[in-house]
Amino acid sequence: MTASDVTRAIRRMAHEILERNSGCEDVVIVGLQTGGVNLAERLVNDISQIEGVDVPVGSLDATMHRDDFDLRPIMSEAATTIPVDPTGKIIVLVDDVLYTGRTVRAALDAIHSYGRPKAIQLAVMVDRGHRELPIRPDFVGKNLPTRRAEMVDVNSGGVDLGEVS
């Protein structure tokens, strides 16, 4: 995907979020650290342009809620900012790449430590398959079947595939 492909996908996902939720009342967009934060901000910007309303946007670090954090190196804790009480709200979790589903599972646990949302939806730029948990995105920029040995990188220039070294 080129940068303009990503921009179009974000715009489309913004429209899909608005359509699914009959607007943006009670919608809160939360980007998962680190890859989903920029995408969440871009989604909120597009929603604001479409609806003329500012939607709350936050960030969530789910590292300590992962079931495999003892198997992986722990990065320094990134900032979690939940701008409003999520209780009764529709939370749209945003991430760059959906792979095994473990990060999303951890994010579900993490968001519930802040309150009990009315619903949680998932938006991802790339769904690359290889799920280990029964997690499915609600909004997808691109379904991109990959091999496990491939790496998917979403960046300002678009989406790149590479080999795991």
Side-chain angles (χ1 to χ4, degrees), residues 5-162:
D5 292 334
V6 171
T7 298
R8 280 190 297 277
I10 290 171
R11 187 76 166 179
R12 179 179 40 78
M13 288 193 300
H15 280 283
E16 290 173 353
I17 289 167
L18 291 168
E19 183 178 333
R20 174 149 183 198
N21 296 298
S22 300
C24 55
E25 186 177 337
D26 291 331
V27 171
V28 179
I29 308 289
V30 177
L32 299 183
Q33 292 285 7
T34 57
V37 174
N38 178 264
L39 293 170
E41 291 168 351
R42 291 178 67 183
L43 266 172
V44 164
N45 184 53
D46 279 7
I47 290 171
S48 177
Q49 289 177 7
I50 296 164
E51 289 289 298
V53 176
D54 289 331
V55 174
V57 62
S59 62
L60 181 67
D61 179 12
T63 303
M64 298 310 292
H65 292 270
R66 289 187 63 98
D67 62 354
D68 60 352
F69 75 87
D70 58 337
L71 303 175
R72 305 167 52 141
I74 295 179
M75 307 307 238
S76 61
E77 193 170 318
T80 293
T81 307
I82 307 297
V84 297
D85 180 357
T87 301
K89 304 289 186 193
I90 299 167
I91 305 296
V92 179
L93 293 176
V94 181
D95 206 359
D96 56 350
V97 179
L98 178 57
Y99 183 35
T100 62
R102 293 186 179 280
T103 299
V104 174
R105 191 223 40 92
L108 294 171
D109 285 350
I111 200 73
H112 279 99
S113 67
Y114 291 91
R116 187 177 189 279
K118 176 178 167 184
I120 299 176
Q121 299 167 358
L122 177 61
V124 298
M125 180 52 60
V126 174
D127 182 351
R128 63 173 290 189
H130 305 287
R131 216 77 76 242
E132 295 175 3
L133 299 171
I135 290 178
R136 179 186 52 84
D138 299 284
F139 314 102
V140 180
K142 177 91 171 157
N143 286 297
L144 188 63
T146 62
R147 296 185 322 270
R148 286 193 181 268
E150 288 180 305
M151 182 102 156
V152 177
D153 179 35
V154 178
N155 56 58
S156 61
V159 176
D160 299 316
L161 280 178

